[in-house]
Amino acid sequence: MSIGHFTVWDYVVFGAMLLVSAVIGVYYAFAGGGQQTSKDFLMGGRSMSALPVALSLTASFMSAVTVLGTPAEIYRYGAIFCIFAITYFLVVLISAEVFLPVFYRLGITSTYEYLELRFNKYLRLCGTILFIIQTAIFAVVHFPSFSVTGFDLWGAVIATGIVCTFYCTLGGLKAVVWTDVFQVGIMVAGFSSVIIRAVVVQGGIGRILNDSYHGGRLNFWDFNPNPLQRHTFWTILIGGTFTWTGIYGVNQSQVQRYIACKTKFQAKLSLYINLLGLWAILVCAMFCGLAMYSIYQDCDPWTAKRVSAPDQLMPYLVLDILQDFPGVPGLFVASAYSGTLSTVSSSINALAAVTVEDLIKPYFRSLSEKKLSWISKGMSLFYGGVCIAMAAVASLLGGLLQAALSIFGMVGGPLLGLFSLGILSSFANPIGAFVGLIGGFTVSLWVGIGAQIYPPRPERTMSLNLTTIGCDIGSPGTGGNWTATTEMPTLTTLVHLQGTERPALADYWYSLSYLYFSTVGTLVTIALGMIVSLLTGGIKQNIDRKFLLTKEDLLSSFSFSKPKTNEKVEVLNWKPFTMADEGTDNPVFNHIEMNVTENKEKVNGAHV
């Protein structure tokens, strides 16, 4: 069986996607007088509306890992992955009703600024450094490889990285959001072309669903409570909720977008509209995976050595069924790289915001607004270059990529626990928060790295049967029936120690479902933080209620009445107290530089 290769038209389509993205960046560099202040550059002037922000949030989620990895996941492990639809609802609900009200009320730009307001500057620094490491790694793993198509990896990585850095540096947050809107359209078009063609090739949706049913792919319900099983209803519902709340609730890349909305109502609305986008993506990815199984149920390309990794299955399918349609395979590759652009651009913009806000502004208070604006752009340029360089190195290291992806969950869990302590617990103090963060980070790294060294046994991953019995006799690597082995579809083990003796922990603690890495980190951070806070007098401290989630925040959710005059955050005029620097009078995000030095050594009555 021969498959097609990239043609000139495919490269034209891919190039057009990059060109339009770059043009949007140029437009927002000069539209409305350009990016005059760093408030305009990093926060879109806090004037965004719900719909573009919602599409931007969706685009950042729908990375190349989603476009390539999720269909392959469903092809190999079945549609139980779709339980994430329930998880996404819980994640959006928690983000919109617990974290957003506090962040929006404070008018902060860096989420880690909250940690100084609530605890102290050292915890803010810890959070900032963890975020920078985590996000730089996460951005890199989203550069996909299309080796099966003959598509030039190095050319694509460099071109994508340069265009991404270009529009981030010129256009700031507005360019990031509006290019995301364009890229969502490209991604949906890429998915749709595959689904429509697959339905035509297979003679209707009925046959695809029938093949999937008889192949055991419609395994939606598995209520096994064992936390060692890779994917069950409970691991996806509980573990997935903790993992993704760490991204939507407290991660700067996402929070920066929705608190840039003009009102709190618009910010919440953006999250709920984004939920519809997440569901649509999941349905598209599910149909692609089931269609792939229907087409390759008798001849698995991966087992037959026609692709080098599960993530190559989607490009292989595209070239197989769309080879007679010039430009359409290019559209699919453009959709995957659109996912890359949206994720990496969000990361670059968030990294620039955090660096300026948390690492430069607090220590160089004399910098003028114009200088801070140029520093913000310089940081975007710097982080864009770092992402390109790291992507080049990572493409040579191969197996480290998916290990890095799991590290994202290991770091995200303790950070989620830290923010939860601050917002939900009035007696959590800086000592308890610091001990909790270190404890949670240590435990999640322990289980995560242990799982890399001692991968779970095959019975824990529950791979479904694949066969090459229908392949051409002359094809290399073909054989009889075959069952997938222990590798997870998006997790390549660093060290293979199958032949060596496994320690007792390997089949229990290290075999924990990867979705629980974040859960463990969050719960250990909260539990340790509360215990240590109680032991060190946390109950005696007096905390300002605006740093906590209040009853009023929950009762006022989604009021459709006319917004109160104070619902739109006025960053300049909201400071009636003579407390410490509240974190919102930032020269980085305002037209006027403020001099706030009074009581800067004390926050909430605690010396910092």
Side-chain angles (χ1 to χ4, degrees):
M1 178 172 63
S2 64
I3 63 167
H5 286 282
F6 254 48
T7 64
V8 173
W9 286 109
D10 297 316
Y11 285 104
V12 168
V13 170
F14 181 72
M17 182 272 294
L18 291 179
L19 181 63
V20 172
S21 298
V23 167
I24 292 172
V26 172
Y27 173 78
Y28 279 103
F30 302 105
Q35 308 287 329
Q36 297 293 329
T37 67
S38 44
K39 175 188 174 185
D40 292 334
F41 183 78
L42 295 173
M43 296 299 293
R46 293 190 190 270
S47 61
M48 305 298 293
S49 54
L51 185 60
V53 170
L55 291 173
S56 179
L57 290 168
T58 301
S60 298
F61 160 82
M62 189 176 169
S63 62
V65 169
T66 309
V67 175
L68 302 182
T70 306
E73 159 78 25
I74 289 167
Y75 171 74
R76 293 182 59 209
Y77 293 92
I80 192 169
F81 193 83
C82 294
I83 300 298
F84 269 104
I86 305 172
T87 296
Y88 297 151
F89 171 74
L90 295 175
V91 166
V92 166
L93 187 68
I94 294 167
S95 300
E97 306 302 335
V98 175
F99 294 103
L100 184 150
V102 177
F103 292 149
Y104 200 91
R105 176 170 60 242
L106 295 175
I108 57 179
T109 300
S110 163
T111 51
Y112 306 98
E113 190 178 348
Y114 171 81
L115 296 177
E116 179 171 354
L117 295 174
R118 178 63 179 82
F119 297 117
N120 60 34
K121 62 184 179 183
Y122 303 112
L123 277 166
R124 175 181 181 175
L125 193 61
C126 287
T128 301
I129 292 169
L130 284 175
F131 169 77
I132 290 173
I133 295 169
Q134 173 195 43
T135 305
I137 293 172
F138 191 60
V140 168
V141 302
H142 288 84
F143 282 93
S145 168
F146 285 88
S147 58
V148 70
T149 65
F151 191 69
D152 183 14
L153 172 65
W154 290 100
V157 167
I158 292 170
T160 307
I162 289 173
V163 168
C164 190
T165 306
F166 174 77
Y167 72 73
C168 281
T169 304
L170 278 183
L173 184 73
K174 281 191 175 179
V176 170
V177 168
W178 283 104
T179 48
D180 283 354
V181 171
F182 163 68
Q183 287 153 10
V184 163
I186 295 290
M187 287 186 271
V188 170
F191 262 146
S192 300
S193 63
V194 174
I195 293 170
I196 292 168
R197 180 60 183 161
V199 169
V200 171
V201 167
Q202 292 302 92
I205 293 177
R207 181 179 170 189
I208 292 174
L209 293 177
N210 189 54
D211 289 344
S212 301
Y213 175 76
H214 290 292
R217 261 61 188 176
L218 301 184
N219 55 346
F220 292 105
W221 309 111
D222 177 4
F223 292 99
N224 184 351
N226 188 347
L228 305 183
Q229 293 296 148
R230 181 172 172 271
H231 278 171
T232 68
F233 178 87
W234 301 112
T235 56
I236 293 175
L237 188 71
I238 299 170
T241 298
F242 276 91
T243 301
W244 283 101
T245 302
I247 295 172
Y248 268 84
V250 302
N251 186 279
Q252 176 71 19
S253 301
Q254 303 292 77
V255 174
Q256 184 176 347
R257 249 89 53 90
Y258 59 69
I259 61 175
C261 288
K262 58 182 82 170
T263 64
K264 187 170 80 169
F265 173 77
Q266 293 277 333
K268 284 193 175 187
L269 191 60
S270 71
L271 275 169
Y272 286 107
I273 295 173
N274 152 73
L275 177 61
L276 301 177
L278 297 184
W279 284 342
I281 291 164
L282 196 58
V283 170
C284 287
M286 180 192 73
F287 269 111
C288 283
L290 296 181
M292 193 191 306
Y293 176 73
S294 180
I295 292 170
Y296 295 131
Q297 59 182 319
D298 294 325
C299 180
D300 172 40
W302 187 38
T303 320
K305 303 290 188 284
R306 291 173 179 171
V307 296
S308 58
D311 286 353
Q312 296 292 311
L313 287 166
M314 269 301 279
Y316 183 89
L317 173 69
V318 167
L319 286 178
D320 188 10
I321 66 175
L322 292 169
Q323 57 184 311
D324 298 328
F325 300 86
V328 181
L331 177 66
F332 177 77
V333 171
S335 76
Y337 272 97
S338 288
T340 295
L341 278 173
S342 62
T343 304
V344 174
S345 64
S346 304
S347 299
I348 289 173
N349 197 254
L351 286 165
V354 163
T355 304
V356 169
E357 172 65 9
D358 295 331
L359 299 181
I360 294 175
K361 181 255 174 181
Y363 304 103
F364 300 94
R365 292 182 178 274
S366 61
L367 288 172
S368 68
E369 171 57 31
K370 187 156 189 173
K371 285 180 181 175
L372 285 167
S373 179
W374 280 106
I375 290 171
S376 301
K377 294 182 179 183
M379 284 295 106
S380 283
L381 192 62
F382 169 73
Y383 282 117
V386 168
C387 284
I388 295 172
M390 287 180 66
V393 172
S395 66
L396 300 174
L397 299 177
L400 290 179
L401 282 183
Q402 300 308 329
L405 192 57
S406 64
I407 287 174
F408 187 84
M410 298 177 218
V411 177
L415 282 177
L416 174 61
L418 183 62
F419 280 98
S420 300
L421 265 178
I423 288 173
L424 300 176
S425 172
S426 60
F427 58 81
N429 64 12
I431 299 172
F434 182 74
V435 172
L437 177 65
I438 298 299
F441 190 51
T442 302
V443 171
S444 59
L445 275 184
W446 176 25
V447 64
I449 293 173
Q452 292 293 320
I453 297 173
Y454 299 100
R457 293 190 183 277
E459 62 268 20
R460 296 300 180 202
T461 59
M462 297 195 301
S463 308
L464 300 175
N465 288 333
L466 296 166
T467 181
T468 57
I469 200 166
C471 293
D472 298 333
I473 296 174
S475 298
T478 57
N481 290 334
W482 174 86
T483 304
T485 52
T486 61
E487 295 101 345
M488 290 159 58
T490 58
L491 190 63
T492 307
T493 53
L494 293 176
V495 185
H496 293 284
L497 297 173
Q498 313 290 12
T500 61
E501 185 178 347
R502 291 165 65 91
L505 283 175
D507 292 329
Y508 298 97
W509 180 237
Y510 297 154
S511 292
L512 196 66
S513 170
Y514 73 100
L515 287 173
Y516 281 130
F517 293 171
S518 181
T519 311
V520 167
T522 303
L523 295 180
V524 169
T525 301
I526 292 173
L528 262 182
M530 292 176 76
I531 292 168
V532 174
S533 294
L534 287 171
L535 293 176
T536 54
I539 202 128
K540 297 176 184 175
Q541 65 181 351
N542 186 22
I543 297 294
D544 194 308
R545 301 296 296 174
K546 67 174 174 284
F547 301 136
L548 304 170
L549 182 70
T550 63
K551 192 189 303 181
E552 289 73 23
D553 290 327
L554 297 174
L555 293 176
S556 67
S557 293
F558 255 77
S559 170
F560 284 90
S561 58
K562 187 176 179 181
K564 297 176 183 177
T565 54
N566 66 348
E567 185 181 346
K568 180 176 173 64
V569 173
E570 295 293 341
V571 183
L572 286 177
N573 302 318
W574 76 292
K575 190 173 180 182
F577 311 106
T578 56
M579 291 178 58
D581 179 2
E582 298 288 351
T584 50
D585 296 325
N586 286 321
V588 187
F589 307 111
N590 295 282
H591 299 277
I592 301 171
E593 184 172 353
M594 306 286 288
N595 180 22
V596 279
T597 55
E598 296 181 330
N599 296 329
K600 68 179 181 179
E601 295 302 319
K602 295 183 77 179
V603 174
N604 300 330
H607 285 277
V608 295

